[in-house]
Amino acid sequence: MESSRRTFLIGGMLVWATVACGQPAPSGRRILTACFSRTGNTRRVADHIHRLVGGDRFDIVPSTAYPADYEATVEQARQERARDYHPPLRETMAALGTYDIVLLGHPIWAMTLPPVMRTFLSGHDLSSKTVAPFCSHKGYGRGESAAVIAKMAPRARLLDGFDIEGEDADTAGPAVERWLRTIDLIRA
Ligand SMILES: Cc1cc2nc3c(=O)[nH]c(=O)nc-3n(C[C@H](O)[C@H](O)[C@H](O)COP(=O)(O)O)c2cc1C
């Protein structure tokens, strides 16, 4: 029992950690949906996106998880920002160069990107890629997130982004679909 459960868990982790080989999107463009999500809201938005555009998924995960406690995370993130510390990732996206379009998701932290997103942006070259940012938040909007992405990925073609309140992530499907049509990633 114990060993079969371990096998199952290990199997599950492998599936979770592994990026499927890139499949051409229907349009012929290769699409990656990558996101960081601490409590699952942004990941649920990423699920809607992935269902609609296909392509591959990548979870941006810090080597050491942020605390489960909200206040502790706020304090840790505050210190990281103050030191401009970029927490290491558990895994980098080695195959990023093979994608044409990257849908890049994150929660809003202190009206900007979580520090771990800065790690991702400084460690991955998005030059010449089309980047469509999306985020979830608690009602205060995107803050300066798009400006930071534009600054950290100056040679990417940045599309209009999408944002939603985290508590609405489960039912975000129709709004996500409208956004994807607006930026021409899906057609009628
Ligand atoms: C450290 C921290 C800072 C946050 N700062 C903001 C903020 O400035 N504005 C806001 O609307 N929500 C803020 N939030 C709320 C999150 O953006 C929101 O709950 C989001 O949906 C969480 O996404 P996730 O489940 O993908 O981690 C903050 C949350 C944390 C943990």
Side-chain angles (χ1 to χ4, degrees):
M1 178 66 182
E2 188 55 35
S3 96
S4 65
R5 176 180 295 180
R6 196 175 303 127
T7 306
F8 170 76
L9 280 175
I10 290 169
M13 283 169 67
L14 283 175
V15 168
W16 183 61
T18 302
V19 176
C21 286
Q23 303 294 321
S27 59
R29 296 174 295 180
R30 289 165 57 92
I31 299 183
L32 177 72
T33 301
C35 81
F36 165 62
S37 181
R38 176 176 153 270
T39 54
N41 295 337
T42 313
R43 190 175 301 114
R44 281 190 277 281
V45 179
D47 289 341
H48 292 299
I49 292 170
H50 185 235
R51 180 174 50 81
L52 290 160
V53 302
D56 296 333
R57 287 285 302 271
F58 179 71
D59 283 320
I60 298 167
V61 181
S63 296
T64 304
Y66 282 97
D69 180 70
Y70 172 79
E71 293 299 342
T73 300
V74 168
E75 178 54 21
Q76 182 176 324
R78 189 191 64 73
Q79 291 182 17
E80 289 174 351
R81 278 195 311 280
R83 289 189 290 137
D84 195 24
Y85 176 68
H86 296 181
L89 300 183
R90 193 181 64 180
E91 178 181 22
T92 55
M93 208 312 165
L96 189 77
T98 63
Y99 294 92
D100 305 302
I101 300 169
V102 180
L103 293 116
L104 189 61
H106 58 86
I108 294 292
W109 283 11
M111 301 313 287
T112 187
L113 298 183
V116 69
M117 291 301 295
R118 294 175 190 254
T119 313
F120 181 86
L121 286 165
S122 55
H124 295 81
D125 185 6
L126 290 166
S127 298
S128 79
K129 301 196 184 305
T130 297
V131 174
F134 62 96
C135 62
S136 74
H137 51 74
K138 219 173 173 66
Y140 296 97
R142 302 176 202 181
E144 62 169 18
S145 56
V148 174
I149 293 171
K151 191 170 172 192
M152 294 194 73
R155 297 168 70 89
R157 186 168 79 93
L158 199 58
L159 301 182
D160 280 343
F162 174 82
D163 72 277
I164 194 157
E165 285 196 41
E167 64 184 27
D168 296 330
D170 273 339
T171 55
V176 166
E177 191 170 341
R178 280 194 297 280
W179 170 57
L180 292 171
R181 285 188 203 290
T182 305
I183 59 173
D184 207 25
L185 289 194
I186 55 174
R187 300 225 163 104

